[in-house]
């Protein structure tokens, strides 16, 4: 139910906001995460890379994408873990450590 509600919120947000800046920021964030996929990346690192404080970046990210950077990072980590569970024979403990 929560996932469905978040999906509805994103859809409503995207209907009211142009996709250019939103998609650009999400793609930048994904590239940043991919370049550091074996490091623990948090909101602080994202903010620093954009030259912003954590608070300013959080407000900027939410107003541009409709979700907080922490939620975005969490969903990316969960998707990555799910992919590893499907694609490898690693244990849950090993995947969690990654």
């Amino acid at each position: 139910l929560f996932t469905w509600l978040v999906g509805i919120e994103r859809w409503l947000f995207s209907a009211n906001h142009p996709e250019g800046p939103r998609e650009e920021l999400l793609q930048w964030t994904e590239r940043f995460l991919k370049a550091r996929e074996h490091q623990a990346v948090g909101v602080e690192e994202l903010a620093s890379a954009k030259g912003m404080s954590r608070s300013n970046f959080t407000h900027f990210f939410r107003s541009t994408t409709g979700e907080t950077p922490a939620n975005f990072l969490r969903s990316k980590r969960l998707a990555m873990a799910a992919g590893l569970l499907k694609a490898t024979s690693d244990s849950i403990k090993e995947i969690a450590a990654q």
Side-chain angles (χ1 to χ4, degrees), residues 45-67:
E45 289 82 14
L46 291 171
S48 179
K50 278 289 191 183
M52 300 176 160
S53 70
R54 179 187 171 103
S55 177
N56 284 341
F57 180 75
T58 298
H59 290 293
F60 168 70
F61 194 94
R62 185 174 178 113
S63 68
T64 305
T65 66
E67 67 180 311

Side-chain angles (χ1 to χ4, degrees), residues 21-92:
R22 179 181 185 276
E23 292 305 314
E24 185 178 315
L25 180 58
L26 292 176
Q27 289 174 5
W28 175 86
T29 306
E30 288 181 11
R31 284 192 307 270
F32 188 88
L33 293 174
K34 190 109 178 130
R36 292 157 183 80
E37 67 183 323
H38 296 293
Q39 300 172 358
V41 175
V43 177
E44 191 69 38
E45 289 82 14
L46 291 171
S48 179
K50 278 289 191 183
M52 300 176 160
S53 70
R54 179 187 171 103
S55 177
N56 284 341
F57 180 75
T58 298
H59 290 293
F60 168 70
F61 194 94
R62 185 174 178 113
S63 68
T64 305
T65 66
E67 67 180 311
T68 65
N71 284 342
F72 180 79
L73 290 173
R74 185 179 310 112
S75 67
K76 287 297 171 186
R77 287 182 189 125
L78 288 172
M80 185 184 202
L84 289 171
L85 284 170
K86 289 178 184 177
T88 67
S89 61
D90 293 348
S91 70
I92 293 174

